[in-house]
Structures are given as C-alpha cells and as structure tokens.
Amino acid sequence: MSGLGAAAATRLAADGIDVITWDLAPGASFTVDVTDASAVSAAATQVGQIDILVNSAGIVGPNGPLWEIPLDGFSRTFEVNVMGTFNTCQAFVPGMIERGWGRIVNLASIAGKDGNPYMSPYSASKAAVIALTKSLGKELATTGVLANAIAPAVIETPMNAATSPEALAHITSLIPMKRTGQASEVAELIAWLASDRVSFSTGAVYDISGGRATY
C-alpha cells in the first residue's frame, strides 16, 4: 500500500473506521489483483459486507505520443484503472443496496477531463472512470448508496515515479498554486465523501487540483 490508498486508509482509520486494504504490494490486508474478476469476487466473499469502497488502485501507463503507445501498455492501463474499479463495484454494490447505505469513492484524475499530452492511456482511462461513476451514481440515486469521483491534479505519490520528467513538469506547470498536491489533502476529501456528511451528492466529480480545473 502506498500513495493515495495508504493515505486514505490512515485517514479513515482516524475516524474509527475498520479499514481493509487490497493490493498486490506487501502490507495490504489481502493480496488481490483487482483486474481479475474471479479473484475480486472470491476476496469479496471472504471479506463480507462493507459500507465504504474506495477505488484507488491505478497505474500511469506508458508515456509518449499516442501513435507510439504499445497496445499492451494501453490495454493494461485500462485493465487496472477501469476494469479494477468495475470489478470491485460489481462485487460490493449489491450488498450496499441491500443494506440501504453505502459510499463509493472512485479515484479519477484531472487528466480525465483535460487530457494530458503524452499520457493518452492514463487520460482516457480516467475519463472512463468519471463516466462510470456518473452512470453508477444515477443508478444508485434512490438506494442510499452514493458514488462520487475525485479528480486530482498531480499529487506527490510513488506512482508518479513512472511518469516521465517532461510530462511531470508539464502537468505541474498547469497548477496555479505552483505546487503538487499532498496525499493527505486528497485523503481529507475521500474521508468527507465516505461519510454521512455527504447526503445530496452522487455521480459527481470533485476536483482537487490547486486551481487547475477549468470545468
């Protein structure tokens, strides 16, 4: 566990929430590949009922001009960022509906709105997460289960070690506050969206971008 997932787990635990983490990296409660629907279903059965689902697993994917992006790199980015979110929602949403309460927070990106140059796989996958969340939020609107997305600008996390220095410099230069965000800042927004303090918002996208967002 690292980056936004680890920060969210720490922040939610501070609110007294019993946090269960899934990851392929050491230190998680369960070792689960979220791109594997069967593995997700089996792990969900083992975990049992949950009230809050935070989908933060993600990869940057390959950097470069779209016409030079390898097909397997493009596909892998969608498998993790989109299918991972889809698989966990499929596994846990029915139980939330049955109990009449739930909070789903999907990690998208400002790249899903703006489209970062030389990051077409990542940008397109995060746009898909935004659209998925909007659809899901409407489908759940009368159930007591809320689904919202967060669209951060560049945040200081280990994931950005995979971003080329040129791409990282460009997307950081777009932030009017002239700095990258901190994982703890995003975790605060996740904690709010995962709580009873949110009651009339679903299918929404919350920007946390240091002023970069333009719509």
Side-chain angles (χ1 to χ4, degrees):
M1 284 289 292
S2 64
L4 296 183
T10 299
R11 179 61 185 82
L12 292 172
D15 281 345
I17 294 167
D18 184 13
V19 177
I20 298 169
T21 57
W22 286 8
D23 204 332
L24 288 175
S29 307
F30 290 84
T31 301
V32 183
D33 180 354
V34 295
T35 70
D36 184 338
S38 297
V40 167
S41 179
T45 299
Q46 189 175 358
V47 168
Q49 298 178 350
I50 68 168
D51 299 309
I52 297 166
L53 173 62
V54 178
N55 282 305
S56 64
I59 60 173
V60 172
N63 299 152
L66 181 144
W67 55 93
E68 295 179 3
I69 298 293
L71 180 58
D72 59 347
F74 192 93
S75 299
R76 179 61 180 167
T77 307
F78 267 74
E79 286 172 6
V80 176
N81 297 355
V82 185
M83 292 307 300
T85 299
F86 174 82
N87 289 337
T88 56
C89 286
Q90 276 214 322
F92 288 114
V93 164
M96 292 180 177
I97 295 172
E98 183 179 333
R99 294 186 299 281
W101 196 94
R103 297 291 183 268
I104 300 162
V105 184
N106 294 329
L107 270 294
S109 169
I110 204 71
K113 289 184 168 188
D114 288 359
N116 287 339
Y118 307 109
M119 296 177 68
S120 60
Y122 182 77
S123 300
S125 71
K126 291 303 185 177
V129 170
I130 288 172
L132 181 154
T133 306
K134 287 179 174 290
S135 293
L136 181 61
K138 291 178 173 67
E139 292 165 4
L140 295 173
T142 61
T143 67
V145 183
L146 307 181
N148 292 291
I150 294 177
V154 61
I155 307 296
E156 275 190 39
T157 66
M159 186 178 77
N160 280 316
T163 306
S164 71
E166 295 80 12
L168 194 59
H170 172 73
I171 57 182
T172 302
S173 74
L174 298 174
I175 299 174
M177 291 182 74
K178 302 301 181 186
R179 69 172 177 88
T180 56
Q182 299 298 310
S184 59
E185 293 174 310
V186 180
E188 283 294 335
L189 181 53
I190 292 172
W192 179 67
L193 288 170
S195 74
D196 264 332
R197 300 189 297 275
V198 178
S199 57
F200 194 56
S201 180
T202 195
V205 184
Y206 288 81
D207 299 329
I208 182 163
S209 69
R212 173 179 166 179
T214 55
Y215 72 97

